[in-house]
Amino acid sequence: MPALCHLALQIVLINILLPIERKAVVARLVIKFGGTSVANVEKIRFAARHVKREFEAGHEICVIVSAMAGTTNQLIKWAKEAAPIHDAREYDAIVASGEQITAGLMAIILSDMGIKARSYSGWQVPIKTDEAHGAARIVDIDAKNLLETMANNMVCVITGFQGIAPSGRVATLGRGGSDTSAVAVAAAINADRCDIYTDVDGVYTSDPRIVPKARRLEKISFEEMLEMASLGAKVLQTRSVELAMAHKVRLAVRSTFDDPDAKQNDFANNDGKILGTLVCDEDEIVEKQIVSGVTMVKGEAKITLRGVKDHPGVAASVFGALADERIIVDMIVQNIADDGKTTDITFTVPDEEYERAIKALKAASDRFEYDAISGSKGSAKISVIGVGMRSHAGVASSMFKALADKGINIQLITTSEIKTSVLIDEEYGELAVRSLHSFYGLDKEEN
Ligand code: ADP
Ligand code: ASP
Ligand code: MG
C-alpha cells in the first residue's frame, strides 16, 4: 500500500511540476514512428518531443509506433527456429509483440513529459482485420475509444502493424504494415494530417542508400507513390498509399531526426520551406516531371514453360496452379505461338518461392501440356515511374537505350500508363538504377 501511495504522489507531482500549456484544439493528427525512430529508449524520448511540440500547438493526437529496429526480424527468426512451417496465427501472436513494447514505452515517456497518454494494442482500439494472418487487411476501425481519449486531453499511442481478426485472434498486416495502421487510423478519426516520421527526410527520386545523388521530392502524387511503393520504394507500405488515396488522407513523410523544437506551421517551417514530402493529388503538383523516380526490387526468379499446348484456358490453368499454392506471380510474358500449336510462357516469382513454384507446376502437369520447364533465381526488376509518361512518348525506348549503353541485357519488359519495368541480372541492379537516375536528369546538383 505505501508503495502505491508513493507512486500516486509521484504521478501527481509530475503533473504539478510539468504543466503543459495547450491552446484550444487546432487539428487532429496521426504521427507514426518507424523502427529506427524508436530503436531504444533514448530514441523514443527524442521522438516523443515531436509529439510534445504538436500537442502544445493544440492538436489532438494518435501516435502509431513500430517495433524497435531489428525486433520484428528477430521475432520472425525465432518463429522459424521453433518450426520452419508453423501456424500463421501463432506467427502473428509472436511478431505483434514488438509493437506492444514500444507503445507502452512511448506512453510512459509522454506521461513523464507531462502529457497524459495511454497505449492501445490493435485489438483494444479495436482495429478489425480479415483472417489473412501474416498479410491481413484492415476492414474497419471503431474510433469511439480513440476520440473519447483525445477529447479527455490525452494522447493515444497505438501499436502499428496489427489488429484483430473475426475469430478474435491477433492478425498482422505484413512487413512495413505500421504505415497502413497510421493511414487507416487517420481515416477513421478523420485526421487533418498523417505524418510518417522515419529515418529519411522524405520520399526521394530513388532509394538514397543506392543512389547518393537522389533528390528529395517536395510533393509526389498518390499514383506515383503507389507505383514507387509497389515497385520497391519501401519508405511507405503500398497498402498505406492505397488507403490514403481512397480516403483522401493528407499524408507526409518526414524525418524523426529533425530538431523537434524548431518552429513550424503545418507541413512547413517558419520560412515556408516544406519539411519532408507531401503525398497529394496530381492537381496540386505544378511542375510535373516526366520521370519522378527509379526503383529496384531484387530477388526475382524467372521461370519459363516451353512448348505449352496453346488453347483457350491454358494460362488460367498454369497460373491457377500457382494461385492454389498462394504463390504471387509478377511479370508475365506469353509468346505468340509460332507454329500455331505451342507457345512459351515466362513469368517471375520471388526467389524464395522459386522451388515451390516449380514443384506446383510439375504437380499440375495433368492440367496443361508442355515440353520443358526452366528458370533461374537472382534477377532484379528496375522501374522508372512518372505521371508525365502519359503525355510523353519514347520513355520506354530511351530507357532501353540507356541500359544498352551500359551493356545491360534486358530479360523481360512490362509497362503501364505511368511506369516501365525491366527485368535484368541482379548483379547490374545498382548500376542500372544509378545510370537511369542520371539519364533522366534526376541527380541533385553538386554543391
Ligand atoms: P521505417 O522503419 O521508418 O518504417 P523503412 O526502413 O521502412 O523505415 O523505410 C525507410 C527507408 O526506405 C529509408 O531508409 C530508405 O533507405 C528506403 N527507401 C527506399 N526507397 C526510398 C525512396 N524513394 N525515398 C526515400 N526512402 C526510400
Ligand atoms: N515492425 C513491422 C516490420 O518491421 C511493421 C513496421 O515496422 O511497419 O515490418
Ligand atoms: Mg517502414
Side-chain angles (χ1 to χ4, degrees):
M1 213 39 155
L4 263 184
C5 289
H6 180 66
L7 186 68
L9 189 67
Q10 252 189 348
I11 292 170
V12 170
L13 272 179
I14 285 169
N15 285 334
I16 294 169
L17 290 175
L18 296 167
I20 286 292
E21 276 191 32
R22 208 174 165 223
K23 300 175 190 135
V25 172
V26 179
R28 196 174 282 160
L29 304 185
V30 168
I31 296 179
K32 179 254 170 180
F33 295 107
T36 29
S37 310
V38 293
N40 55 43
V41 174
E42 265 337 287
K43 292 212 164 127
I44 300 176
R45 211 182 293 286
F46 187 86
R49 285 168 55 197
H50 287 287
V51 181
K52 184 166 183 266
R53 181 194 63 241
E54 301 292 12
F55 187 79
E56 284 171 352
H59 304 314
E60 288 188 328
I61 299 170
C62 281
V63 177
I64 312 288
V65 285
S66 289
M68 291 178 178
T71 299
T72 310
N73 288 346
Q74 178 61 62
L75 294 169
I76 293 173
K77 213 167 135 227
W78 280 334
K80 283 191 183 148
E81 213 178 295
I85 309 286
H86 45 246
D87 188 328
R89 292 165 298 188
E90 301 308 350
Y91 166 94
D92 277 351
I94 297 161
V95 297
S97 66
E99 273 73 9
Q100 271 196 48
I101 299 170
T102 36
L105 289 171
M106 177 63 87
I108 290 178
I109 286 169
L110 286 170
S111 305
D112 189 47
M113 289 175 164
I115 297 168
K116 286 195 265 171
R118 68 148 286 186
S119 68
Y120 285 92
S121 283
W123 64 268
Q124 289 172 323
V125 172
I127 295 175
K128 296 176 190 161
T129 71
D130 61 16
E131 290 279 4
H133 285 273
R137 283 164 84 94
I138 296 175
V139 290
D140 187 33
I141 297 181
D142 186 346
K144 190 170 155 280
N145 289 332
L146 302 179
L147 293 173
E148 268 176 26
T149 303
M150 288 189 293
N152 282 331
N153 257 335
M154 285 176 83
V155 170
C156 307
V157 185
I158 306 161
T159 54
F161 182 53
Q162 58 202 270
I164 182 167
S167 60
R169 303 196 60 168
V170 172
T172 63
L173 310 178
R175 298 309 304 269
S178 298
D179 298 328
T180 300
S181 310
V183 174
V185 167
I189 64 167
N190 204 6
D192 297 271
R193 254 169 51 201
C194 178
D195 292 347
I196 306 286
Y197 283 78
T198 181
D199 59 358
V200 271
D201 64 348
V203 178
Y204 277 65
T205 46
S206 198
D207 187 342
R209 290 184 209 199
I210 301 172
V211 185
K213 290 182 182 165
R215 272 191 293 120
R216 178 170 63 90
L217 297 160
E218 286 202 340
K219 290 183 178 178
I220 184 167
S221 69
F222 284 119
E223 286 89 345
E224 286 169 314
M225 193 62 241
L226 201 54
E227 292 283 11
M228 294 256 291
S230 68
L231 294 168
K234 70 161 190 162
V235 61
L236 286 174
Q237 198 197 35
T238 310
R239 179 78 183 132
S240 72
V241 188
E242 264 172 25
L243 275 184
M245 193 163 148
H247 295 277
K248 297 244 170 275
V249 173
R250 288 187 82 211
L251 181 64
V253 176
R254 51 173 299 183
S255 172
T256 309
F257 308 118
D258 280 351
D259 177 5
D261 303 319
K263 291 265 175 297
Q264 47 198 260
N265 181 11
D266 203 20
F267 285 118
N269 68 10
N270 268 8
D271 306 328
K273 189 174 162 284
I274 289 185
L275 295 161
T277 301
L278 180 62
V279 189
C280 57
D281 275 331
E282 205 178 312
D283 322 338
E284 277 191 56
I285 302 174
V286 188
E287 270 183 64
K288 291 194 179 64
Q289 306 285 333
I290 300 175
V291 171
S292 302
V294 183
T295 60
M296 167 162 70
V297 183
K298 281 191 165 183
E300 299 260 315
K302 63 175 189 301
I303 297 176
T304 300
L305 287 169
R306 286 186 207 287
V308 182
K309 280 264 156 42
D310 195 23
H311 56 77
V314 66
S317 307
V318 170
F319 295 108
L322 296 166
D324 289 349
E325 292 299 317
R326 290 177 168 256
I327 295 172
I328 294 172
V329 175
D330 186 11
M331 303 168 99
I332 300 177
V333 175
Q334 181 178 338
N335 290 342
I336 290 178
D338 232 4
D339 53 6
K341 292 182 202 127
T342 62
T343 181
D344 296 343
I345 301 176
T346 302
F347 57 88
T348 62
V349 296
D351 270 352
E352 56 276 16
E353 298 284 28
Y354 178 70
E355 282 84 10
R356 262 185 1 105
I358 299 272
K359 201 170 148 205
L361 291 170
K362 286 187 175 161
S365 55
D366 55 328
R367 284 155 72 178
F368 48 87
E369 288 175 56
Y370 61 92
D371 291 338
I373 185 165
S374 62
S376 60
K377 294 190 198 179
S379 294
K381 182 166 71 164
I382 312 293
S383 309
V384 297
I385 297 135
V387 282
M389 277 187 216
R390 283 200 197 110
S391 48
H392 282 80
V395 174
S397 63
S398 63
M399 179 184 186
F400 306 152
K401 168 100 180 34
L403 293 172
D405 287 347
K406 294 282 170 194
I408 298 170
N409 186 42
I410 298 171
Q411 302 167 355
L412 288 180
I413 300 166
T414 55
T415 61
S416 79
E417 208 187 11
I418 64 163
K419 71 118 205 281
T420 303
S421 301
V422 294
L423 194 75
I424 63 169
D425 192 330
E426 203 171 68
E427 206 183 317
Y428 302 109
E430 278 85 4
L431 173 67
V433 171
R434 285 192 208 113
S435 306
L436 292 170
H437 196 270
S438 299
F439 181 80
Y440 288 108
L442 298 175
D443 286 358
K444 72 174 167 213
E445 281 155 29
E446 301 290 347
N447 292 326

